[in-house]
Amino acid sequence: MAFKINIGTKEGKTYKLEVESPELVGKSVGEIIKGKEISPDFEGYEFQVTGASDKSGFPALEKVEGFTLKKVLFGYGKGMHKRAKREGKRKQSNAKPDGLRLRKTVHGKTISEKIIQINLKLTREGSKKLGEIFPAGEKKE
């Protein structure tokens, strides 16, 4: 199973790559992984898994254990940014709405075969720079 991997750096640049890596199955959101588990080009790198989404587009949530789909009740904050119906299209106040909750379907935090996209954050850089590994305008396979 091929994963679409997005690597984010501190400078705000995102590098995208598509790789088939069975070592990533079983890892979870928030976990730190070694670069050579993804590809031998990333020797000496360390990445933190910040998020993922499955083939249907459901995001992986750090609070949900396992690798199945679950319905979670969200309050205002991470995962839910709706306004109360009484406010309409125009925002009338900056305060978060009282009592507004929403039940959403999310994926568990463990990476499985159903996951398509994985988001990574660069925590430690290796000997080669990412600019050398990913030449400008050319996609790495």
Side-chain angles (χ1 to χ4, degrees), residues 53-104:
S53 60
D54 67 0
K55 59 186 175 185
S56 300
F58 294 116
L61 194 65
E62 197 168 358
K63 296 185 241 178
V64 180
E65 293 293 325
F67 53 86
T68 59
L69 291 176
K70 295 193 177 165
K71 290 199 171 260
V72 178
L73 187 65
F74 284 103
Y76 194 80
K78 185 174 182 179
M80 207 274 283
H81 300 287
K82 289 203 171 200
R83 292 195 302 260
K85 286 184 179 178
R86 66 179 179 269
E87 287 189 15
K89 289 187 179 178
R90 291 190 177 186
K91 193 169 186 179
Q92 295 172 354
S93 65
N94 290 335
K96 64 181 184 177
D98 292 331
L100 182 64
R101 298 189 300 174
L102 187 68
R103 193 171 300 276
K104 285 185 157 186

Side-chain angles (χ1 to χ4, degrees), residues 124-135:
R124 191 172 67 176
E125 201 162 335
S127 58
K128 289 175 77 176
K129 299 286 182 195
L130 282 176
E132 297 172 11
I133 298 172
F134 296 96

